């Protein structure tokens, strides 16, 4: 069965922190939304859960740029994750989920999967 998705509103522009992440709760679980005002696109969304520790911490990581790739460093063990692909740069076998993100007026929306029961009432 093909997963259906919706563009869930998760926060507003006023909630964003330049060069940093904010954690939001979505139908797909906790997601970290990053705002890098000097890039295009400027918004990125990846899972908030650090796959190495299982802790919800990635939104609090320090952002940076490695060879042109926007990344966040996990605050726990310092692995870097691409904000574009979710790939861990220190371990090819590990990646975090990424989510399409868009600005809809003042609302930040993420494309997340919805369950069959939710889609029935949408
Ligand atoms: S469009 Fe999001 S739950 Fe229906």
């Amino acid at each position: 069965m093909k997963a259906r998705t919706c563009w869930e509103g998760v926060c507003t522009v006023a909630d964003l922190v330049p060069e940093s992440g904010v954690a939001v709760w979505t139908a797909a679980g906790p997601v970290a939304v990053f705002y890098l005002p000097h890039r295009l696109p400027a918004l990125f969304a990846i899972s908030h859960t650090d796959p190495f520790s299982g802790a919800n911490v990635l939104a609090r990581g320090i952002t940076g740029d490695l060879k042109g790739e926007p990344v966040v460093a996990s605050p726990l063990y310092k692995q870097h994750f691409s904000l574009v692909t979710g790939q861990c740069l220190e371990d090819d076998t590990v990646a975090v989920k990424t989510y399409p993100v868009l600005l809809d007026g003042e609302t930040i929306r993420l494309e997340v999967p919805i369950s069959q029961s939710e889609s029935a009432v949408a």
Side-chain angles (χ1 to χ4, degrees):
M1 196 184 314
K2 193 169 173 289
R4 294 190 51 195
T5 61
C6 75
W7 286 94
E8 182 176 354
V10 293
C11 64
T12 68
V13 169
D15 297 319
L16 298 173
V17 182
E19 313 295 352
S20 188
V22 294
V24 297
W25 188 264
T26 74
V31 173
V33 178
F34 292 90
Y35 174 43
L36 303 183
H38 304 298
R39 298 191 75 98
L40 255 179
L43 292 170
F44 302 88
I46 66 171
S47 170
H48 183 38
T49 309
D50 175 3
F52 292 96
S53 64
N56 291 323
V57 294
L58 291 185
R60 291 198 286 280
I62 293 176
T63 60
D65 190 300
L66 286 181
K67 297 181 185 147
E69 186 90 348
V71 297
V72 61
S74 169
L76 286 172
Y77 303 127
K78 313 301 179 202
Q79 287 93 350
H80 296 88
F81 297 91
S82 165
L83 297 181
V84 178
T85 64
Q87 181 64 51
C88 174
L89 301 191
E90 285 82 15
D91 185 338
D92 299 345
T93 65
V94 177
V96 294
K97 274 192 193 149
T98 62
Y99 299 91
V101 49
L102 67 75
L103 182 59
D104 174 15
E106 292 292 302
T107 304
I108 310 301
R109 294 188 183 277
L110 301 181
E111 188 177 21
V112 295
I114 48 176
S115 72
Q116 223 35 36
S117 55
E118 274 177 282
S119 66
V121 296

